[in-house]
Amino acid sequence: MTKYDNSNIFAKILRSEIPCKKVYEDDDILCFYDINPIADTHVLVIPKREYRSFDDFVTTAEPEYISLFFNKVAMIAKKLGLIESGYRIISNHGLNANQEVPHFHVHLIGGENLGGIKYK
Ligand code: AMP
């Protein structure tokens, strides 16, 4: 299994080497606006600890941290006013999902009707 690459862009954001448009931050997570949004609201939620992808996160993080992380995603959805109108969360893992940034993240998307998921 490949090692976490701390030169990835989200690691640089966490080290404040490059800026981001911050939505929320605490000791455990950072949330910021996606630079290339696919909907009216599109933010990224990332843990401050080093995990390469969703699979790495759920198979190696402590259950308490996994639970805390997803509870904070829900808290941010509420903070952004997305509970009533609805939202989608996406996490790309690996090649077929075209994961670009090898630091686990959840896309939290809403603010407009997102349409259905794409069927074959
Ligand atoms: P993924 O394909 O799931 O790895 O998605 C990576 C996401 O990071 C894409 O939606 C990009 O638009 C977004 N992104 C890349 N660089 C930045 C950045 N500097 N600030 C905010 N979002 C970024």
Side-chain angles (χ1 to χ4, degrees):
M1 200 178 271
T2 54
K3 215 169 132 282
Y4 179 83
D5 172 11
N6 67 11
S7 69
N8 77 75
I9 199 137
F10 294 170
K12 289 179 181 169
I13 288 174
L14 284 172
R15 293 193 298 267
S16 303
E17 291 168 10
I18 60 168
C20 70
K21 202 173 157 204
K22 202 178 290 181
V23 174
Y24 175 84
E25 180 173 20
D26 63 22
D27 289 345
D28 302 303
I29 67 154
L30 174 65
C31 174
F32 51 95
Y33 285 98
D34 195 294
I35 207 167
N36 192 17
I38 61 167
D40 287 349
T41 303
H42 183 172
V43 302
L44 301 166
V45 188
I46 68 174
K48 288 195 169 177
R49 300 183 196 172
E50 298 178 348
Y51 302 99
R52 286 160 291 136
S53 71
F54 174 79
D55 186 74
D56 185 27
F57 182 61
V58 298
T59 59
T60 66
E62 301 83 9
E64 295 74 19
Y65 190 60
I66 297 171
S67 172
L68 174 151
F69 179 83
F70 284 104
N71 274 295
K72 289 189 181 189
V73 173
M75 179 272 290
I76 290 164
K78 186 173 182 190
K79 177 180 163 67
L80 292 171
L82 300 177
I83 303 295
E84 288 298 316
S85 53
Y87 62 89
R88 180 172 292 156
I89 58 173
I90 296 173
S91 187
N92 293 315
H93 164 78
L95 285 179
N96 276 357
N98 288 281
Q99 180 183 357
E100 282 173 27
V101 181
H103 179 109
F104 167 56
H105 53 282
V106 165
H107 297 254
L108 172 57
I109 302 158
E112 65 179 81
N113 190 313
L114 301 169
I117 60 171
K118 190 178 145 205
Y119 295 96
K120 262 206 184 299

